[in-house]
Amino acid sequence: MVHKSSVPLYWRLQKSRYTLTGTKCHTCNTVYFPPKEFCPACRRKGDIREFRFSGRGKIISYTVIRVPPEGFEKYTPYTVAIIELDEGTRLSGQVVGNPESIDIGRKVSPVFRKFHEDGPAGLIQYGIKFELVAEETPLK
Amino acid sequence: MTIGIVGYGAYIPRHRISVEEIAKIWGENAENYKRGLMVSEKSVPDMDEDTITISTEAGRNALLRAGIDPAAIGAIYIGSESHPYAVKPSGTVVSEVLCLGNDIMVADFEFACKAGTAAMQCCYGMVKAGMIEYGMAIGADTSQGRPGDALEYTAAAGGAAFIIGRDPLATLDDTCSFTTDTSDFWRRNMEDYPKHGARFTGKPAYFKHVTSAARMLLERTGTKPGDYDYVVFHMPNGKFPANAAKMLGFSGQQLQQSLVVTRIGNCYSGSSPLGLSNVLDVAKPGQKIFMVSYGSGAGSDAFSFTVTDKILERRDLAPTTEHYISKKTNIDYGMYVKLRGKLKM
Ligand SMILES: [Zn+2]
């Protein structure tokens, strides 16, 4: 049976998805996620090393998905957000929980969840999603 | 140096469904169930949560408390009856996510609801033998009851992880098991829901194994129920552990702190482990804990622990069990059906 998503590709991206591992250029202190192996700012002077993000950050913008891509039908409605990580880069990720409680500026922390299943017989893909930090309500 | 629990961690999904909400759907009397089971609501995993994600979160909390290099862990054993894959160990994913390194022994354990405590015994033996410095044992489940079955009121989700090694926050004084071939509850391969022998599950199964393992350990350690500050039993409901305590001579007060079942239901392989983590959250140095798990099929693992001074410096390094119990969102039966994947699309 052929799987919709590529098993080798999933495996290559696994470490960064599982642990939010990106890279950091120690010359200019810029962090990258997904990881870059070359610092576009410093070029040859760049000093790129592996860097693990805490996963804590805040929501910059978000969208509630009601018409999902194939394979995500049972999850709707769900929220995908642009998150600014505390360490200083942005990434897009799913925010778990009721979409109505999600708002711009809310702080998030990481949770480990299922991403996607290739049907009942296929591979289950896992990775980091985000959850609202409970105590704080955003100031408007 | 003594061997025991160097770090522990809990995780419970945040959704809850009440006994009333389930009883309403099936036209049953909720009060009868609540009184009979001594359970008010149960935890329900989100659609993207399973035994692997629950184990990962619990394991992460255990690492935070242990404060050790994750790569120093030489074995990870996850006990569950709801491993997401039939073939591919849950431990491979959890080990990778928690950065335990590749120099590690991994296997998934199965023994109904006592697979997690069997994993603790295994880690203890390997540390004692000098094969590994630390071992991580996890009991976690996302259990399902057939809609309308009595199990539906209690089958819940959650788990707890324990890192076994030297310099513990609770010494593992001794452990033993009592095992027979008793068919009180089973699930064949490829079946979604378990079958059970209804009334057969009490006396010849749960009570016989729990009390036999408990008496064996009391005799081996030369202790009596009064020597312990806390007692933890497997919690298929609130009534069974209360009766087991009474049969063995433990008081309701010794049992109270571990009885998480009344608010989150039966977390199967995570049940007695979550009772233990809730006790460790409050226990004082020098206090003694007696624990007996139960797994259908059937067997019980008994443990004696003594809390050390280390509990004071490690306890606050991760969220408590109570944090997860009280961080909850109640859902209705319709949402429950969606979350548990009982809808065919
Ligand atoms: Zn640079």
Side-chain angles (χ1 to χ4, degrees):
Chain A
M1 188 184 149
V2 179
H3 294 279
K4 265 179 284 184
S5 54
S6 149
V7 173
L9 177 70
Y10 169 65
W11 188 75
R12 272 203 309 280
L13 294 174
Q14 195 164 275
K15 186 172 182 185
S16 70
R17 271 190 188 171
Y18 276 6
T19 59
L20 281 184
T21 302
T23 50
K24 179 177 180 175
C25 171
H26 286 255
T27 308
C28 66
N29 282 327
T30 309
V31 289
Y32 297 103
F33 190 90
K36 277 195 170 127
E37 285 174 27
F38 179 78
C39 178
C42 304
R43 306 183 69 85
R44 274 185 313 151
K45 293 201 183 90
D47 175 16
I48 286 271
R49 288 182 234 164
E50 214 171 76
F51 180 78
R52 206 157 149 206
F53 292 89
S54 66
R56 284 186 289 274
K58 66 174 181 193
I59 295 173
I60 298 298
S61 73
Y62 69 95
T63 176
V64 178
I65 309 287
R66 294 177 196 281
V67 184
E70 199 187 335
F72 290 84
E73 293 86 350
K74 64 178 182 181
Y75 296 104
T76 56
Y78 62 90
T79 310
V80 174
I82 305 286
I83 287 151
E84 185 166 85
L85 295 174
D86 286 353
E87 294 89 351
T89 191
R90 289 179 179 190
L91 54 82
S92 71
Q94 194 177 324
V95 181
V96 302
N98 184 354
E100 280 168 29
S101 58
I102 291 163
D103 210 347
I104 288 169
R106 289 289 302 265
K107 290 199 168 152
V108 294
S109 59
V111 290
F112 188 70
R113 296 291 177 99
K114 270 195 284 194
F115 269 10
H116 180 246
E117 289 170 54
D118 276 349
L123 203 62
I124 309 170
Q125 303 184 357
Y126 295 91
I128 300 289
K129 292 184 182 178
F130 298 88
E131 164 181 77
L132 295 177
V133 175
E135 289 71 38
E136 296 168 66
T137 7
L139 296 169
K140 286 201 178 168
Chain B
M1 225 190 303
T2 60
I3 298 166
I5 299 167
V6 301
Y8 69 95
Y11 181 80
I12 302 159
R14 73 180 301 155
H15 293 114
R16 301 285 180 276
I17 186 164
S18 66
V19 166
E20 277 95 348
E21 186 64 27
I22 300 173
K24 197 171 76 189
I25 297 296
W26 302 107
E28 300 273 7
N29 183 326
E31 286 312 309
N32 285 351
Y33 273 98
K34 281 168 84 169
R35 218 174 315 119
L37 300 169
M38 288 168 65
V39 171
S40 56
E41 53 190 20
K42 66 164 190 171
S43 63
V44 180
D46 210 329
M47 294 182 80
D48 56 2
E49 291 184 295
D50 63 15
T51 289
I52 287 181
T53 66
I54 290 170
S55 298
T56 302
E57 299 292 353
R60 200 190 305 283
N61 286 334
L63 278 168
L64 285 172
R65 284 205 176 88
I68 58 168
D69 174 9
I73 290 178
I76 177 168
Y77 297 121
I78 302 177
S80 179
E81 53 177 85
S82 51
H83 290 291
Y85 289 99
V87 178
K88 174 168 170 65
S90 301
T92 57
V93 179
V94 178
S95 171
E96 189 85 22
V97 180
L98 297 179
C99 301
L100 306 188
N102 302 120
D103 178 5
I104 188 160
M105 288 178 263
V106 180
D108 284 355
F109 280 28
E110 277 185 31
F111 194 144
C113 300
K114 81 162 193 76
T117 56
M120 289 172 78
Q121 291 177 321
C122 197
C123 288
Y124 173 69
M126 290 170 76
V127 171
K128 202 168 175 179
M131 285 175 73
I132 55 173
E133 191 181 357
Y134 299 104
M136 185 183 276
I138 302 178
D141 257 308
T142 54
S143 44
Q144 293 249 44
R146 186 180 295 281
D149 188 288
L151 284 178
E152 195 184 15
Y153 292 90
T154 52
F162 300 90
I163 298 171
I164 308 293
R166 285 167 212 278
D167 195 22
L169 54 80
T171 304
L172 198 165
D173 309 316
D174 203 356
T175 176
C176 64
S177 300
F178 180 85
T179 315
T180 71
D181 178 1
T182 305
S183 307
D184 53 327
F185 177 101
W186 61 94
R187 179 170 63 82
R188 291 283 300 274
N189 234 347
M190 319 291 283
E191 288 291 312
D192 286 342
Y193 303 111
K195 290 197 176 293
H196 54 94
R199 301 236 166 255
F200 187 55
T201 55
K203 209 172 159 206
Y206 181 89
F207 293 108
K208 178 182 165 188
H209 293 80
V210 166
T211 57
S212 298
R215 289 194 178 108
M216 264 169 68
L217 189 65
L218 289 171
E219 195 181 319
R220 271 172 68 129
T221 51
T223 55
K224 50 191 191 308
D227 297 335
Y228 293 88
D229 298 279
Y230 297 98
V231 65
V232 186
F233 293 111
H234 172 55
M235 295 167 265
N237 52 53
K239 226 164 203 176
F240 277 27
N243 289 345
K246 213 172 286 171
M247 289 163 79
L248 288 161
F250 288 97
S251 70
Q253 206 179 346
Q254 287 166 294
L255 181 67
Q256 195 50 41
Q257 180 65 23
S258 71
L259 268 188
V260 295
V261 63
T262 56
R263 292 191 289 159
I264 58 170
N266 175 10
C267 296
Y268 285 51
S269 303
S271 178
S272 53
L274 279 167
L276 177 59
S277 74
N278 204 41
V279 166
L280 290 170
D281 284 342
V282 301
K284 296 185 186 75
Q287 288 193 319
K288 287 177 80 70
I289 305 166
F290 194 78
M291 173 169 83
V292 190
S293 63
Y294 173 71
S296 294
S300 279
D301 304 328
F303 297 81
S304 165
F305 298 102
T306 305
V307 180
T308 77
D309 294 345
K310 293 288 185 288
I311 191 82
L312 302 174
E313 56 195 64
R314 295 182 201 164
R315 182 149 57 202
D316 299 334
L317 300 176
T320 59
T321 316
E322 179 60 36
H323 165 85
Y324 289 107
I325 295 175
S326 51
K327 187 175 105 173
K328 62 165 184 141
T329 306
N330 279 81
I331 56 172
D332 60 17
Y333 198 87
M335 182 58 86
Y336 169 69
V337 165
K338 179 184 175 188
L339 295 183
R340 293 310 278 125
K342 294 176 200 276
L343 285 176
K344 294 265 183 244
M345 293 183 71

